[in-house]
Amino acid sequence: MALLKPFCALRYNPQKVALSAVLAPPYDVISPEERAALQASSPHNMIHLILGQSRIGGGEQEETVYASAGEKWRRWRSDGVLTQEDTPAFYVVEQRFLHEGEEYTRVGLVAAVRLEPYDAGVIFPHEKTFAGPKQDRFRLMEAVNANLDSVFGLYDDRDANVSALIRAAQRETPILSGKSSDGQRHRVWAITDAKACEALQAAFADAPIVIADGHHRYETALNYRDARCAAEDASPDLDFVMMTLCSIRDPGLLVLPTHRMIGGADSLPTMTGAGMAQVVSVSLQSAFESEMTGAATHTMIELGKAARAGRRAYGAYFGEDAGLLLCPKETDYPRYEEIAHFTRTILDRLPEILEAPELKVDYTHSGAEAVCKVNAGDAWGVFLLQGVPVADVFEAARTGHLMPEKTTFFYPKLQSGLLMRDLESELA
């Protein structure tokens, strides 16, 4: 069973800093340009802590980077830049944001969640991880001995018990509110009532949790706990990790697709965009029904229509109003295999189809950005994918099926620095 506990959160002191100047996206989605802007926004921005050696790109020596993060963390606490809540609590976090001109609200419950190995059948991953980011996160945890940002977890609030408790908390005055630099609006409430806390713990007693984002952080917390235990330097807090839990039934929970842009070392001077569309259509006709869709806008509209109608499809655009809608003839594979199917039936075949010995694949969550790059000649073409429904992501993970990387993008990312958790303060 999942064990949740309230904790005394650390957060920025609004009398010392403005929230919009100190929050940051997770370290693994920050571009060099964004990094520079965040660093300049405030000497107390979370970027100064979370962006470890694996993202520095040279300059400081490795030991200096992590030691500097630890020193800043301790100084911010002693200077009152960070303040700690007096009473252990569960926290409700609300994010309001825009996507494609429409406003959404996503709500999560922040808790200290007991760490469990995946094979215990309590907490499940949904995608594979790599060693490099975990080494970086481990070094940072050693330096600060804290959860600086949150793992993002999913649960199924089928009976709406958790939602009812969250709504009750939101009728009270938030303990924190403000905007992040990207325009998102954030509000945080604390749940300290003993009966409400007990009810939340009971609601998760038999509820599996699927990690939506933060697999590296979760596995690092496991490794860090085990290393400290082996060194006989363990604290009870090490058995828990800070996690933001969102119901898969939350209408503000968006799962965006990751589109594939293709290019290569050389251009294709002998093949126009229309020529590429025609070659791809003919080459894939045994496995796909194809429809010429023309302009990029129309291609995206038709892909959206297919998704709303429950039809599986991939969009393709090669510039020069050369768009395609590709609908697989065989659709009996589960939705969590969408990327594997696309890779096997289309992406792996492209070098032969386009007579290009080597293809470069780049990724983006924005179809508009991908189309602009094609039109500007920075990519030969783009394949536009449908998103995997969150219920399918949850069920796949719960039944032990891992998805390839770049399958899901939970939008927006949780902000780093909204709430933090010390690993030495006694849990309730």
Side-chain angles (χ1 to χ4, degrees):
M1 72 178 218
L3 177 59
L4 277 61
K5 286 193 176 185
F7 66 102
C8 296
L10 281 156
R11 60 185 176 91
Y12 279 105
N13 184 347
Q15 296 180 350
K16 296 277 189 177
V17 295
L19 200 64
S20 61
V22 293
L23 298 183
Y27 75 101
D28 55 348
V29 297
I30 299 173
S31 69
E33 295 76 20
E34 289 172 320
R35 181 179 71 208
L38 291 167
Q39 287 173 334
S41 67
S42 170
H44 299 117
N45 189 284
M46 279 298 292
I47 194 72
H48 297 289
L49 300 182
I50 63 173
L51 200 50
Q53 178 67 22
S54 67
R55 301 282 289 175
I56 288 293
E60 294 185 75
Q61 294 296 313
E62 180 176 322
E63 296 299 328
T64 304
V65 172
Y66 298 110
S68 175
E71 189 276 330
K72 288 185 177 76
W73 170 253
R74 290 184 289 273
R75 187 174 69 248
W76 293 2
R77 296 189 65 177
S78 64
D79 290 350
V81 173
L82 300 176
T83 183
Q84 188 164 24
E85 297 296 305
D86 295 326
T87 305
F90 291 116
Y91 301 91
V92 174
V93 174
E94 176 190 89
Q95 284 177 282
R96 291 192 177 185
F97 59 94
L98 292 175
H99 177 61
E100 295 184 346
E102 185 174 350
E103 184 175 74
Y104 294 86
T105 300
R106 187 177 71 191
V107 180
L109 177 74
V110 187
V113 178
R114 185 171 65 186
L115 292 162
E116 302 278 0
Y118 293 146
D119 58 12
V122 176
I123 295 173
F124 300 85
H126 91 270
E127 66 179 15
K128 300 173 182 178
T129 60
F130 296 99
K134 285 183 280 189
Q135 293 171 358
D136 171 50
R137 295 300 92 185
F138 189 95
R139 296 298 306 277
L140 184 58
M141 284 191 77
E142 281 186 317
V144 301
N145 198 34
N147 298 144
L148 297 182
D149 40 22
S150 180
V151 176
F152 188 20
L154 305 175
Y155 67 98
D156 187 0
D157 190 23
R158 184 178 291 104
D159 298 325
N161 294 329
V162 177
S163 296
L165 292 164
I166 286 175
R167 285 195 299 271
Q170 289 178 295
R171 289 193 284 269
E172 305 298 327
T173 302
I175 64 169
L176 183 65
S177 62
K179 286 186 177 182
S180 48
S181 59
D182 58 5
Q184 291 182 45
R185 287 174 288 167
H186 304 271
R187 291 195 292 175
V188 180
W189 294 263
I191 301 175
T192 57
D193 178 75
K195 288 186 177 179
C197 289
E198 289 172 3
L200 285 169
Q201 289 173 314
F204 280 91
D206 298 313
I209 294 172
V210 168
I211 298 175
D213 198 14
H215 292 79
H216 293 107
R217 289 187 287 275
Y218 183 82
E219 292 169 25
T220 296
L222 276 168
N223 294 337
Y224 185 64
R225 179 200 65 184
D226 292 346
R228 289 276 298 272
C229 287
E232 298 183 352
D233 182 29
S235 157
D237 294 314
L238 296 174
D239 287 328
F240 293 80
V241 68
M242 186 172 66
M243 189 177 292
T244 300
L245 298 158
C246 184
S247 170
I248 62 172
R249 299 170 189 272
D250 187 327
L253 182 61
L254 301 188
V255 187
L256 306 183
T258 304
H259 308 300
R260 271 62 174 166
M261 297 178 290
I262 60 165
D266 302 310
S267 61
L268 290 175
T270 60
M271 195 178 295
T272 63
M276 281 192 279
Q278 182 65 30
V279 167
V280 168
S281 176
V282 171
S283 300
L284 298 177
Q285 63 184 343
S286 62
F288 291 88
E289 299 286 350
S290 65
E291 172 189 342
M292 294 292 181
T293 49
T297 301
H298 190 247
T299 302
M300 289 190 279
I301 289 172
E302 291 303 310
L303 184 64
K305 285 182 181 178
R308 290 189 291 275
R311 293 172 59 212
R312 297 186 180 186
Y314 308 115
Y317 177 71
F318 302 96
E320 303 174 357
D321 288 344
L324 281 175
L325 189 70
L326 296 162
C327 299
K329 294 179 179 179
E330 298 294 332
T331 59
D332 57 351
Y333 54 91
R335 288 305 298 261
Y336 61 79
E337 289 187 359
E338 201 76 31
I339 294 299
H341 177 270
F342 165 78
T343 301
R344 181 178 64 253
T345 59
I346 297 179
L347 196 59
D348 288 349
R349 295 190 58 194
L350 281 180
E352 177 186 357
I353 291 172
L354 298 178
E355 298 181 354
E358 184 177 348
L359 283 180
K360 178 183 177 184
V361 181
D362 287 322
Y363 306 91
T364 179
H365 309 295
S366 169
E369 176 190 354
V371 166
C372 286
K373 288 197 173 186
V374 174
N375 288 338
D378 295 329
W380 296 349
V382 59
F383 285 87
L384 303 164
L385 278 62
Q386 297 173 337
V388 179
V390 66
D392 291 84
V393 175
F394 185 84
E395 186 60 20
R398 195 188 64 78
T399 54
H401 296 93
L402 291 180
M403 296 182 177
E405 275 209 326
K406 309 295 185 183
T407 297
T408 59
F409 183 79
F410 288 86
Y411 181 85
K413 295 280 189 176
L414 295 175
Q415 290 284 304
S416 295
L418 196 61
L419 295 173
M420 292 151 277
R421 176 175 167 263
D422 192 358
L423 293 178
E424 293 296 344
S425 59
E426 186 66 27
L427 280 166

